[in-house]
Amino acid sequence: MPTDLKSALAALDAHEPVSLLGLRETQWIDAKGGPYQLADPKAVEELAKDVAAFANGGGGVIVIGIATRLEHDEEILDRIVSLDPTRVNLDQIRKLIRQWVTPVPRGVRVKWSGDDGERVVFIDVPAQPIDTLFVVPAPVGKPGSPRTDTVAVPMRDGDSTHWLPRSEIQQLLSAGVRASGMPTAQALTELVRQAVSEAGPGTGLRVGQGLPDREREMRAAYEQLADAGLGEPTGEAWAQGAAALQDLRHEVDGEPGWVLCLVPGRPPVAVAEPVWQALIETGRRAPSGQDPLAAVGFPRPPAGTDAPWVIPADARRVDLDGGSWGPGRLTCSGRGVWGWQPIPHFSLDQGRSAEIGTGGQTPALRLRALVNLPWAEARALEINKSRRTQLEQLLPHSAVAGAVTLLSRRRGAELPAARWERGPFGNSVRSAGYTCTIAGPDGTPAVKASVMVALPTTMESTVVACADVLIESPEAWAAAIGTGWDTQLGLDEVQAVLLSAWETAAELLPEVVGDPAALSWAAPPTTELRITCEQPADNGVQPVLDSLVDMTPLGPNDGGARSQLAVAITVAPAMDRAERQRLLREALVHMAQAFGYVDAEVDLL
């Protein structure tokens, strides 16, 4: 169990909030059983009071999502009340702290800690300069912006917070006036003059105030964007990674505010507050308490733009980059709903689910398309009977079934993939699996098509949809289609099968869990394409792909023969067939070149 602030923060950073249970509230830790209800003005005042009290008291941490019990007149951290990530807006908490606490405490962190079932939020308020007093507007419990003509000073005292008495505030002010060496009126006038110098008539804050190293840069950007009418600062500027940010708003109610955003290497941008909030809400769905901006990144200017630019409130598309999700695009539908999609790119990364459902199988050749669907709401999904029945009816007419039939037709036979049976994968409200088997004359499995959908488990956090075409036995397949036909696949046939398997896994299978269009991403969706030989020869050596697939269109292989090839595509699952075919060809070239076919080109496919 942690014994001090440092060890408690280490436990929270390690996503182990359960280790705090049993601690008592003290000078440096405060627990809240539920989140601040920030629609209530009193809750906003309480948040500001709690943060300022720790800033005035040497630092501390507020843990939200741990209930306490009273024991010998002390509050003991008793149990975790797991928080719903969709109902706690970390960015709003940060924003309110900047807006309500003066001056803004340095280094405050607002983060998630813990995994599903034990998620908490913690606000880390580091120790502040000892010569700085942090104040908040005097509480009134009514809606509205913070008052600028009142002041209150919260102080941490043991496990509670109290307001500094008016008499002590008066003594502090008197001491400051005496230290200035000026008459009272002149001293107070000078303090006011310093506060509003170089600032507009609104908040008394300068653009860039709070980031002294970048203040000049931010003021220059603000002046270049003057025609946009950005308004005045609503709080001090702050840093998010390498970016410098500033909230701006007009005094007139009803007008949307702005966020001035400066990212190194890019021109400054002013983002209308509604668009900025859509960006934050999108990134807030990232798991493990990741900061929204660290996930989705920052606005990327249109090609050819090298001057400060503006994203207005009526914008319908924003390109993003610089986050852990990689390049993406935020778009607004005709109904005003914002959604994020990745900008397609390729890699050789294979996820943990790459070989899902392959246990106990050893086909001669597997052609696989596997789609990872990291939906934010995935754990609430289920596969019901009506959608399973609909899938069973559609599978004989699916793209992957058509691909299997195509392979036989090209060899003079009509072997339709019409009969689909459950299995061999488990079927439940969390998974669905179906297989179609085409056998040789003696009943030996020759070719199989299989599909699977798996909802998240304790080991896997995403929905996985997979479609396979398996050449189980080239000999049995040759017997099924008749003599005189070559069972080696051409590269064009491999493309056709992978295209159909991808289409099935990306568009047909996800519908068995609900309406994909109504779900939001918690991470970028990916598609993995694999070509593998899995049936070892009698000597135990894996056969090479060249024995089952004609690889000659790719040219010579400088890396030697291989038994498997794989590539990953970061891309939204739904698209038209022409776009999917284009991406497939580019992905196969990326894969071939990475695996030694250095002369591979799209035109060769």
Side-chain angles (χ1 to χ4, degrees):
M1 181 189 302
T3 57
D4 55 17
L5 176 58
K6 183 177 180 180
S7 58
L9 290 172
L12 290 167
D13 284 327
H15 294 280
E16 298 175 353
V18 68
S19 66
L20 272 58
L21 300 183
L23 285 176
R24 63 182 180 87
E25 289 188 341
T26 66
Q27 179 77 19
W28 51 267
I29 187 168
D30 186 20
K32 307 286 182 181
Y36 294 95
Q37 301 300 315
L38 299 180
D40 183 351
K42 292 182 179 179
V44 175
E45 293 172 347
E46 181 186 4
L47 168 65
K49 173 185 176 183
D50 293 341
V51 171
F54 277 123
N56 285 325
V61 61
I62 304 166
V63 186
I64 307 170
I66 295 185
T68 62
R69 69 177 187 273
L70 190 61
E71 187 175 292
H72 305 302
D73 294 328
E74 292 184 325
E75 295 289 343
I76 306 298
L77 278 63
D78 185 52
R79 59 187 176 85
I80 293 180
V81 183
S82 187
L83 302 179
D84 182 351
T86 65
R87 298 184 180 276
V88 183
N89 189 332
L90 302 194
D91 187 65
Q92 184 183 16
I93 293 174
R94 296 185 188 100
K95 203 169 187 177
L96 289 169
I97 291 171
R98 293 193 300 271
Q99 188 176 2
W100 284 73
V101 183
T102 305
V104 179
R106 303 294 187 190
V108 172
R109 297 186 303 148
V110 185
K111 297 184 64 177
W112 285 99
S113 178
D115 299 319
D116 288 348
E118 55 175 38
R119 287 186 187 273
V120 304
V121 169
F122 68 95
I123 304 174
D124 171 21
V125 185
Q128 305 293 315
I130 59 174
D131 59 350
T132 303
L133 189 67
F134 295 86
V135 302
V136 299
V140 293
K142 298 178 181 179
S145 300
R147 293 186 59 179
T148 58
D149 58 349
T150 67
V151 66
V153 184
M155 303 295 292
R156 188 72 178 169
D157 183 13
D159 63 351
S160 62
T161 298
H162 72 275
W163 296 106
L164 196 66
R166 182 168 52 188
S167 59
E168 293 190 30
I169 295 177
Q170 184 273 330
Q171 291 174 9
L172 289 172
L173 287 172
S174 296
V177 169
R178 287 196 300 272
S180 70
M182 302 178 186
T184 300
Q186 183 180 350
L188 292 175
T189 300
E190 179 63 17
L191 289 174
V192 173
R193 187 197 67 77
Q194 291 177 6
V196 301
S197 63
E198 302 183 40
T203 62
L205 293 167
R206 302 184 305 277
V207 171
Q209 182 175 326
L211 295 178
D213 293 342
R214 304 190 68 176
E215 184 172 340
R216 180 176 297 179
E217 176 190 6
M218 297 191 73
R219 287 188 61 80
Y222 177 83
E223 291 169 1
Q224 289 176 294
L225 290 163
D227 291 344
L230 302 181
E232 300 297 328
T234 63
E236 290 191 345
W238 81 101
Q240 173 64 52
L245 304 166
Q246 176 85 67
D247 290 311
L248 303 160
R249 180 176 286 278
H250 294 277
E251 290 186 346
V252 180
D253 290 336
E255 290 193 42
W258 297 86
V259 175
L260 180 62
C261 176
L262 278 72
V263 178
R266 301 182 191 178
V269 58
V271 185
E273 192 170 39
V275 180
W276 185 263
Q277 285 304 314
L279 188 157
I280 295 296
E281 287 300 314
T282 298
R284 196 159 62 88
R285 300 182 180 98
S288 301
Q290 185 177 21
D291 184 273
L293 295 175
V296 299
F298 297 91
R300 185 178 63 185
T305 300
D306 56 6
W309 53 299
V310 171
I311 300 177
D314 59 357
R316 287 296 177 265
R317 191 182 90 170
V318 181
D319 287 343
L320 303 169
D321 203 355
S324 63
W325 289 10
R329 179 168 294 143
L330 200 62
T331 57
C332 186
S333 70
R335 295 178 298 168
V337 178
W338 287 91
W340 181 90
Q341 302 287 7
I343 294 175
H345 57 279
F346 311 116
S347 74
L348 300 181
D349 299 331
Q350 299 289 292
R352 295 197 317 183
S353 57
E355 297 184 1
I356 190 171
T358 61
Q361 295 182 343
T362 53
L365 178 68
R366 182 191 302 271
L367 303 177
R368 160 168 284 199
L370 183 144
V371 181
N372 295 291
L373 303 163
W375 285 315
E377 304 87 350
R379 294 194 180 277
L381 300 174
E382 67 174 20
I383 302 173
N384 62 32
K385 181 179 178 180
S386 62
R387 288 197 292 261
R388 188 188 299 276
T389 300
Q390 183 180 31
L391 177 61
E392 292 171 353
Q393 295 169 348
L394 292 175
L395 278 173
H397 312 286
S398 64
V400 71
V404 172
T405 303
L406 174 66
L407 293 180
S408 65
R409 283 179 179 169
R410 284 195 168 193
R411 289 160 177 79
E414 185 72 23
L415 303 175
R419 183 178 177 183
W420 291 76
E421 299 177 338
R422 294 187 181 186
F425 315 111
N427 283 269
S428 68
V429 295
R430 307 294 296 170
S431 64
Y434 294 88
T435 300
C436 174
T437 302
I438 296 175
D442 62 354
T444 301
V447 179
K448 285 184 180 180
S450 66
V451 299
M452 179 183 62
V453 181
L455 296 180
T457 65
T458 55
M459 297 297 294
E460 183 60 55
S461 60
T462 69
V463 175
V464 176
C466 177
D468 287 348
V469 172
L470 313 175
I471 307 297
E472 290 282 1
S473 167
E475 294 78 17
W477 190 29
I481 60 180
T483 59
W485 295 97
D486 188 358
T487 58
Q488 186 184 50
L489 298 187
L491 204 55
D492 60 329
E493 292 179 311
V494 170
Q495 290 182 69
V497 171
L498 287 175
L499 179 66
S500 298
W502 183 8
E503 181 179 322
T504 301
E507 304 213 28
L508 175 61
L509 299 183
E511 292 183 358
V512 78
V513 302
D515 179 11
L519 302 172
S520 303
W521 300 120
T526 59
T527 293
E528 300 174 19
L529 305 176
R530 294 170 63 86
I531 310 171
T532 59
C533 293
E534 301 176 17
Q535 191 175 94
D538 293 339
N539 60 4
V541 177
Q542 294 290 109
V544 296
L545 285 173
D546 302 69
S547 63
L548 298 169
V549 177
D550 180 9
M551 310 291 285
T552 54
L554 298 177
N557 189 316
D558 291 353
R562 296 182 179 275
S563 61
Q564 66 176 23
L565 299 174
V567 66
I569 313 169
T570 301
V571 66
M575 67 188 79
D576 62 51
R577 190 174 179 86
E579 174 69 4
R580 195 182 306 280
Q581 189 169 35
R582 180 187 69 81
L583 284 173
L584 172 70
R585 290 160 64 91
E586 293 179 1
L588 292 179
V589 168
H590 179 88
M591 174 187 71
Q593 291 177 345
F595 281 92
Y597 296 94
V598 294
D599 296 330
E601 296 179 356
V602 171
D603 292 344
L604 298 176
L605 302 179

